Amino acid sequence: RRAHVPLEHADHVGIGPQKAHQHLIYDQPALGARNMAVDEAILQAVSAGDALPTLRLYAWDPFCLSLGYAQAEADLDAARLATYGWHTVRRPTGGRAILHGDELTYSVTVPVDHSLADGDILASYRAISIGLLDALKMLGAQPQSELHPESQQVVKGPVCFEVPSHYEITSGARKLIGSAQVRRSKGILQHGSLPLYGDVTRICEVLHFDTEAQRATARNRVRERAITLEGAAGRRIEWEEAAAAVAAAFAQRFSLNWQESGLSASEEARAAQLEAEQYGSP
């Protein structure tokens, strides 16, 4: 499914040998447990100084519902999830549930002394959001990222895309990218979901609601408050085009020189261990 994605815009973004190398990974679609294990393995390697700051672009197969680090498992309807043949995983980051399917997922992993980690969580959210905004503009969307008043945080349901958080990306006041961040002593990981197309309300099919009326209400809320890239840009955009835009935008905005490859042997071994012992464990 995944073709190699060259940095076709490299000549236009000023990438040159004088700039510090950063690691770029175009990854294959994978199980949810594998995806979270890889992000965690990269975070550990970057934090230890054993890996370059890394931008990883990836997808999920099959669809997977991810729960935030502290989200109640009771939000999930396991029986309905099994009926659809979808998986579930708990993220190392916080926030609420996201259904990963027809999307581009990004993860940015940097040491704490990197410019993208400067300041507090809000400051780094804002810095990373600027790169994402550039990418979305390349793709023809008209996104926004701003401080959202606390009065907007009135919905306390289980769905991430119901309400935008500070400096998350919206289009027409509807959430377009949902992101979350975790900070360790020597590194930070921020990853996020960009729905490319499809029905943004599908997540409501696999969450727990006491009544079908509540499920229908949740569907309507998500439909009103979330949007896909296709809806924002007015055309269908495939994973490869979206991934190339994110890589090019980050290279241009942050003066990065990409070193493209897969995981190192040690990252691969650690990811396999984390998948077996942690993220793949009930």
Side-chain angles (χ1 to χ4, degrees), residues 206-227:
V206 293
L207 296 174
H208 173 77
F209 295 96
D210 291 333
T211 68
E212 287 306 305
Q214 291 177 353
R215 192 184 308 279
T217 298
R219 283 195 204 99
N220 290 335
R221 282 202 306 262
V222 175
R223 187 176 294 111
E224 292 170 355
R225 296 171 179 174
I227 192 170

Side-chain angles (χ1 to χ4, degrees), residues 65-80:
L65 183 80
S66 74
L67 299 176
Y69 181 82
Q71 186 173 10
E73 188 178 355
D75 286 344
L76 166 68
D77 189 323
R80 293 178 70 98

Side-chain angles (χ1 to χ4, degrees), residues 45-94:
V46 169
S47 298
D50 296 331
L52 294 170
T54 299
L55 171 64
R56 176 177 173 241
L57 302 167
Y58 59 98
W60 308 64
D61 188 21
F63 278 33
C64 183
L65 183 80
S66 74
L67 299 176
Y69 181 82
Q71 186 173 10
E73 188 178 355
D75 286 344
L76 166 68
D77 189 323
R80 293 178 70 98
L81 194 79
T83 298
Y84 281 90
W86 298 343
H87 286 198
T88 186
V89 71
R90 188 173 293 281
R91 300 190 303 271
T93 54

Side-chain angles (χ1 to χ4, degrees), residues 7 20-25 52-53 256-262:
L7 283 180
H21 285 282
Q22 320 284 322
H23 191 195
L24 173 64
I25 299 175
L52 294 170
L256 306 178
N257 184 16
W258 292 127
Q259 177 176 305
E260 184 184 337
S261 67

Side-chain angles (χ1 to χ4, degrees), residues 122-136:
L122 276 184
S124 56
Y125 253 84
R126 181 178 184 276
I128 293 171
S129 75
I130 292 171
L132 297 171
L133 286 168
D134 289 350
L136 292 169

Side-chain angles (χ1 to χ4, degrees), residues 4-216:
H4 175 75
V5 186
L7 283 180
E8 296 173 347
H9 303 287
D11 290 340
H12 303 290
V13 300
I15 299 175
Q18 75 279 8
K19 298 175 182 177
H21 285 282
Q22 320 284 322
H23 191 195
L24 173 64
I25 299 175
Y26 290 114
D27 220 340
Q28 298 294 316
L31 300 178
R34 162 73 180 181
N35 276 331
M36 293 301 91
V38 170
D39 275 358
E40 174 85 18
I42 294 171
L43 175 59
Q44 292 179 5
V46 169
S47 298
D50 296 331
L52 294 170
T54 299
L55 171 64
R56 176 177 173 241
L57 302 167
Y58 59 98
W60 308 64
D61 188 21
F63 278 33
C64 183
L65 183 80
S66 74
L67 299 176
Y69 181 82
Q71 186 173 10
E73 188 178 355
D75 286 344
L76 166 68
D77 189 323
R80 293 178 70 98
L81 194 79
T83 298
Y84 281 90
W86 298 343
H87 286 198
T88 186
V89 71
R90 188 173 293 281
R91 300 190 303 271
T93 54
R96 292 177 283 183
I98 298 177
L99 180 63
H100 305 277
D102 303 316
E103 70 170 55
L104 168 71
T105 312
Y106 78 89
S107 68
V108 174
T109 311
V110 297
V112 292
D113 60 355
H114 193 279
S115 60
L116 288 178
D118 284 349
D120 59 11
I121 290 176
L122 276 184
S124 56
Y125 253 84
R126 181 178 184 276
I128 293 171
S129 75
I130 292 171
L132 297 171
L133 286 168
D134 289 350
L136 292 169
K137 290 172 184 176
M138 288 180 183
L139 294 167
Q142 297 182 345
Q144 300 85 40
S145 176
E146 59 191 32
L147 278 169
H148 295 280
E150 293 303 321
S151 60
Q152 292 191 21
Q153 308 298 320
V154 294
V155 177
K156 301 300 182 182
V159 183
C160 172
F161 276 81
E162 286 186 85
V163 180
S165 299
H166 294 320
Y167 295 124
E168 286 193 318
I169 309 294
T170 60
S171 177
R174 296 163 72 188
K175 191 167 182 174
L176 180 55
I177 299 181
S179 299
Q181 185 181 120
V182 61
R183 291 190 167 217
R184 303 283 171 80
S185 60
K186 295 184 178 180
I188 73 166
L189 161 69
Q190 181 171 313
H191 50 198
S193 168
L194 170 60
L196 299 175
Y197 42 78
D199 182 1
V200 293
T201 73
R202 286 175 293 192
I203 186 172
C204 298
E205 301 305 315
V206 293
L207 296 174
H208 173 77
F209 295 96
D210 291 333
T211 68
E212 287 306 305
Q214 291 177 353
R215 192 184 308 279

